[in-house]
Amino acid sequence: MIVFRALLYQIIFYPATALLSASGSLAGLVSRKPMLVVIRAWVDLNHWLVLHVLRMRVRVEGKIAPGAQLIAAKHQSMFETTEMLRLSDFPVIVMKQELADIPIFGWLTRRYGIIAVQRSAGAKALRALVAEGARTAAQGRSVLIFPEGTRVLPGQTPPLKPGFAALYRALGLPVVPVALDSGVVWGRGLRKRRGTITFRIGETIPPGLPRAEMEARVHAAINALESSPQPRS
């Protein structure tokens, strides 16, 4: 039954993603507002499938306040890449270049607002990250970033990537850290099981702190659920 539910999820989600990407792209040619309606529908669809097809539960502790902020989240699964849009107000997303290059979907993400990072580009990628982040801050939008740089397994707590500190310094925005434990129930492919995914919104960290202090606080906050990486029901 677990495999059946995971397979049914994929059968529904990925064709719907393709259809909504095409619809959102067409809507984006008209104006931003109808495009955001389509994106919200996609995000809500995934949330519904997680609850009613995969039979997972989602628990949110705390709330992200309105206003421009740098949102730093743990990354253990695909789920939080859409769910974080439900928990915040359509932030600009820092994502890897490969996703932004996907036909149609990539165009839609760029129209929505992303900062695409080519991780192999080194210092050039870092400069581009900071420049794009500054333009975003000037527009009054929040920026969502996964500061550990990539998806990790439950229990893993790698150091934050240098780009996060550079973005923090350049934007001058407070940081909202978000811990989560999606990886205990959401594996790759069909490895998905019932359980509860918790999002814990941490205490806001002010701008202007020394790098070492800021990184220590963010690292501790986004890993607040990592002490006992066991399935939570």
Side-chain angles (χ1 to χ4, degrees), residues 83-104:
E83 192 68 7
M84 285 302 302
L85 299 185
R86 298 185 74 251
L87 303 180
S88 54
D89 185 23
F90 289 109
V92 170
I93 306 170
V94 179
M95 65 169 57
K96 58 185 179 180
Q97 182 73 44
E98 294 92 324
L99 293 176
D101 290 339
I102 297 174
I104 302 178

Side-chain angles (χ1 to χ4, degrees), residues 5-229:
R5 291 186 182 281
L7 183 60
L8 180 60
Y9 167 84
Q10 293 192 353
I11 290 173
I12 298 173
F13 177 74
Y14 288 107
T17 295
L19 178 61
L20 290 171
S21 293
S23 300
S25 296
L26 291 174
L29 295 174
V30 178
S31 71
R32 179 176 173 78
K33 186 173 181 179
M35 179 192 68
L36 291 180
V37 171
V38 175
I39 292 174
R40 174 64 72 180
W42 176 63
V43 169
D44 289 344
L45 170 65
N46 191 46
H47 183 81
W48 187 90
L49 291 173
V50 168
L51 295 183
H52 299 286
V53 174
L54 295 179
R55 296 293 180 90
M56 297 176 182
R57 293 188 293 274
V58 179
R59 178 170 60 215
V60 180
E61 301 174 358
K63 185 177 181 180
I64 298 177
Q69 300 166 97
L70 181 56
I71 304 170
K74 190 75 178 177
H75 189 18
Q76 293 184 349
S77 75
M78 183 275 287
F79 178 60
E80 55 266 12
T81 61
T82 62
E83 192 68 7
M84 285 302 302
L85 299 185
R86 298 185 74 251
L87 303 180
S88 54
D89 185 23
F90 289 109
V92 170
I93 306 170
V94 179
M95 65 169 57
K96 58 185 179 180
Q97 182 73 44
E98 294 92 324
L99 293 176
D101 290 339
I102 297 174
I104 302 178
F105 178 81
W107 186 92
L108 178 60
T109 61
R110 291 180 183 278
R111 183 73 175 87
Y112 161 80
I114 63 166
I115 301 174
V117 178
Q118 189 174 357
R119 289 180 289 189
S120 61
K124 180 180 178 181
L126 186 59
R127 289 193 297 270
L129 172 67
V130 170
E132 289 295 327
R135 279 193 284 271
T136 296
Q139 297 170 6
R141 294 181 68 185
S142 292
V143 176
L144 169 64
I145 185 172
F146 300 107
E148 291 171 332
T150 189
R151 185 185 306 187
V152 299
L153 296 173
Q156 292 182 340
T157 58
L160 308 185
K161 294 296 184 181
F164 176 69
L167 200 59
Y168 171 79
R169 184 173 59 251
L171 268 59
L173 295 175
V175 179
V176 179
V178 181
L180 54 90
D181 59 0
S182 58
V184 298
V185 295
W186 190 297
R188 293 182 181 274
L190 300 179
R191 296 194 296 274
K192 296 175 177 61
R193 57 192 178 194
R194 295 178 64 174
T196 300
I197 298 174
T198 298
F199 289 80
R200 181 175 295 173
I201 315 299
E203 180 180 351
T204 299
I205 298 169
L209 295 178
R211 176 174 176 174
E213 179 183 353
M214 178 276 294
E215 287 189 331
R217 291 178 62 174
V218 171
H219 190 267
I222 68 172
N223 288 296
L225 299 175
E226 296 306 305
S227 59
S228 55

